[in-house]
Amino acid sequence: MLIRKALSTCLKEKQVTSLRLSGITACVFDAYGTLFDFTSAAAQEKSALGDQWQALSDLWRTKQLQYTWLRSLMGKHADFWQVTGDALDFAMTSLKIEDPALRDRLMSLYLKLCAYPEVKDTLIQLKAHGMKLATLSNGEPKMLKTAIENAGITGLLDAVLSAEQVGIYKPHPNVYRLATDRFGVKANQICFVSSNAWDAHAAKAFGFRVIWCNRFGQAPEHIPSPPDGEITTLASLPAIVGMA
């Protein structure tokens, strides 16, 4: 088993090394799970949550995504802050956690999620070579602003694009269109990066060149429009887009 896993890792690294995307003028990143670690809010409350912290984090995230899709299909939009709170309420009720003060602390921590360790250095490398950079997220603008400031990457981003600008969530094409409109380029001149496989496939269907940052070792999705490549951290990205 260990040998098989090592061979698989080597093969993926070889594929990443040989992967190159030409003609890219902008890199656009999903936020939650790609730039920011959504598990870090619950992780910082381990003392209060005990061994339930991971279960809460997982259920919170799963229900958060489900609510964005359901609200989009129902035509009942609410901003991502409300969706995040509703999802947390569901998760806490499901796990029989009754603690309003803890709920408030978790929501506050979601505004200050930790960035993944390689994020800032990767953005610095891309920016130094003239690449336009943006985040394109379901996140509500104030949520994104706070997370970006907390990560110390405000000056590295040329744009912060939110689904709130079009009143519907990913994977609707209107969300991805925000990036082409902002930079005034064709979709295939943008490299979109997401840790969410469904998001990567939807962005590819829109016309972006897409890299799936598979941080969590997930199996590939069985839906149309697979991404152009797969990496495990953003550190591999500069070489892929010709910036290293």
Side-chain angles (χ1 to χ4, degrees), residues 200-215:
H201 282 251
K204 182 62 179 179
F206 177 76
F208 291 148
R209 306 300 299 279
V210 177
I211 299 297
W212 175 29
C213 185
N214 187 7
R215 293 188 182 279

Side-chain angles (χ1 to χ4, degrees), residues 19-21 24 26-30 176 187-213 224-231 237 240-241:
L19 178 62
R20 293 290 184 274
L21 300 181
I24 301 299
C27 286
V28 176
F29 301 86
D30 169 60
Y176 302 110
N188 64 6
Q189 292 176 276
I190 291 176
C191 176
F192 181 77
V193 186
S194 179
S195 66
N196 301 292
W198 59 268
D199 188 19
H201 282 251
K204 182 62 179 179
F206 177 76
F208 291 148
R209 306 300 299 279
V210 177
I211 299 297
W212 175 29
C213 185
S225 305
D228 295 277
E230 176 185 342
I231 57 180
L237 187 63
I240 292 172
V241 296

Side-chain angles (χ1 to χ4, degrees), residues 3-212:
I3 293 174
R4 189 179 305 146
K5 185 176 181 180
L7 289 172
S8 176
T9 300
C10 288
L11 179 59
K12 284 185 178 180
E13 288 177 351
K14 184 177 180 180
Q15 290 171 339
V16 168
T17 301
S18 61
L19 178 62
R20 293 290 184 274
L21 300 181
S22 61
I24 301 299
T25 60
C27 286
V28 176
F29 301 86
D30 169 60
Y32 302 109
T34 305
L35 299 179
F36 309 119
D37 182 1
F38 56 80
T39 69
S40 63
Q44 292 180 71
E45 286 291 341
K46 284 183 181 179
S47 60
L49 290 167
D51 59 8
Q52 287 186 303
W53 82 269
Q54 187 69 66
L56 178 89
S57 182
D58 292 345
L59 187 54
W60 186 5
R61 175 60 171 172
T62 297
K63 191 56 64 170
Q64 181 192 52
L65 291 175
Q66 288 178 357
Y67 283 169
T68 63
W69 301 328
L70 290 170
R71 281 186 171 276
S72 293
L73 289 168
M74 294 166 67
K76 299 292 185 180
H77 184 74
D79 70 31
F80 201 63
W81 182 247
Q82 179 177 329
V83 167
T84 300
D86 290 343
L88 177 58
D89 290 338
F90 177 90
M92 292 183 72
T93 300
S94 296
L95 296 172
K96 297 179 171 53
I97 301 171
E98 298 181 10
D99 189 336
L102 173 60
R103 194 259 191 201
D104 290 344
R105 294 200 303 274
L106 287 167
M107 288 296 290
S108 180
L109 286 168
Y110 208 91
L111 294 173
K112 300 177 181 179
L113 296 175
C114 299
Y116 289 103
E118 84 284 2
V119 165
K120 189 170 185 177
D121 285 346
T122 298
L123 296 182
I124 288 172
Q125 287 184 59
L126 293 168
K127 190 73 171 179
H129 287 84
M131 185 69 71
K132 295 293 184 182
L133 303 175
T135 186
L136 174 61
S137 172
N138 282 336
E140 184 270 338
K142 290 181 181 178
M143 293 175 70
L144 293 172
K145 182 176 184 291
T146 303
I148 289 166
E149 289 175 348
N150 188 62
I153 59 174
T154 303
L156 298 172
L157 296 171
D158 298 287
V160 178
L161 306 172
S162 167
E164 199 61 26
Q165 295 170 245
V166 290
I168 197 166
Y169 290 111
K170 298 176 189 177
H172 197 282
N174 284 352
V175 182
Y176 302 110
R177 192 169 291 114
L178 288 169
T180 54
D181 289 349
R182 171 61 178 80
F183 290 118
V185 298
K186 296 179 180 178
N188 64 6
Q189 292 176 276
I190 291 176
C191 176
F192 181 77
V193 186
S194 179
S195 66
N196 301 292
W198 59 268
D199 188 19
H201 282 251
K204 182 62 179 179
F206 177 76
F208 291 148
R209 306 300 299 279
V210 177
I211 299 297
W212 175 29

